Amino acid sequence: MSRGIPLSVAGTYCKEVWYEINCKQYFAIGLKNHLGGWELRNKYYKNSSSPKSYSSIQHSSDRLLVTEGIFDFLSLAVMKTDIVKNSDCIVLNSLAFIKDIDQLFYKYSEVLLFLDNDSAGENATRRLLEHYDNVSDNSQFYSGYSDLNEKLISHVGKV
């Protein structure tokens, strides 16, 4: 709960993944990517299994939401439940995977970007806005915060 994500939301999209490193067993929250690998997060560990790629959540929508990481996506699912449930979603798992998903943008009537408020996220957003008419920047929703999860954390307990 330190990330402000209720277990019910995390359980809707993620799995508990057990893994072994140097003969020791660990577990993490895992989000499967579209190539069958996993993004793994726990209090002490942020990594992924091979192959590394973006994660896709399909709801048969003509709207696509794009976030950078697991906790950004889960934060969006907490703060804007209806839009997440009624949209296809991509979790990039790394900004490097934008090149792998931008061909998908043509399939959607609208693509809503929720990238981090840092130079890398802003540059990626700017490039995509220049190339696609159906793309919009939604970072104003968490203006003043580095990302969606930081906004969520700052509001947990204030509701």
Side-chain angles (χ1 to χ4, degrees):
M1 233 357 226
S2 67
R3 290 288 200 138
I5 311 294
L7 188 57
S8 61
V9 173
T12 300
Y13 301 101
C14 301
K15 302 283 184 212
E16 184 176 86
V17 177
W18 288 81
Y19 57 95
E20 188 174 304
I21 299 176
N22 297 326
C23 299
K24 289 188 179 184
Q25 279 206 323
Y26 302 92
F27 65 94
I29 184 173
L31 180 65
K32 195 170 192 175
N33 70 42
H34 90 285
L35 293 178
W38 291 87
E39 288 299 311
L40 302 169
R41 302 291 184 275
N42 69 29
K43 188 175 180 178
Y44 309 103
Y45 186 74
K46 176 182 177 181
N47 211 333
S48 59
S49 69
S50 294
K52 187 162 172 66
S53 187
Y54 63 89
S55 300
S56 178
I57 296 99
Q58 298 296 311
H59 293 123
S60 300
S61 177
D62 66 344
R63 178 178 48 220
L64 176 66
L65 311 179
V66 180
T67 64
E68 279 193 43
I70 294 173
F71 290 113
D72 296 319
F73 169 71
L74 294 173
S75 298
L76 191 61
V78 171
M79 295 184 287
K80 292 193 171 274
T81 305
D82 289 340
I83 195 171
V84 170
K85 285 184 178 179
N86 294 302
S87 304
D88 289 352
C89 305
I90 288 185
V91 180
L92 290 169
N93 299 320
S94 168
L95 276 177
F97 292 115
I98 282 185
K99 64 182 175 16
D100 296 341
I101 66 155
D102 68 348
Q103 77 281 359
L104 300 174
F105 290 2
Y106 295 111
K107 167 182 166 178
Y108 295 93
S109 63
E110 61 180 330
V111 177
L112 284 60
L113 301 178
F114 295 90
L115 304 183
D116 290 358
N117 284 324
D118 59 16
S119 60
E122 291 165 357
N123 288 337
T125 297
R126 190 171 26 262
R127 280 193 317 275
L128 293 169
L129 289 170
E130 290 170 1
H131 288 94
Y132 300 95
D133 293 333
N134 61 334
V135 171
S136 65
D137 176 12
N138 287 268
S139 63
Q140 72 279 358
F141 174 63
Y142 46 100
S143 178
Y145 301 96
S146 62
D147 60 25
L148 287 159
N149 189 243
E150 185 178 277
K151 178 178 179 168
L152 177 65
I153 290 169
S154 76
H155 288 82
V156 170
K158 295 181 183 176
V159 241

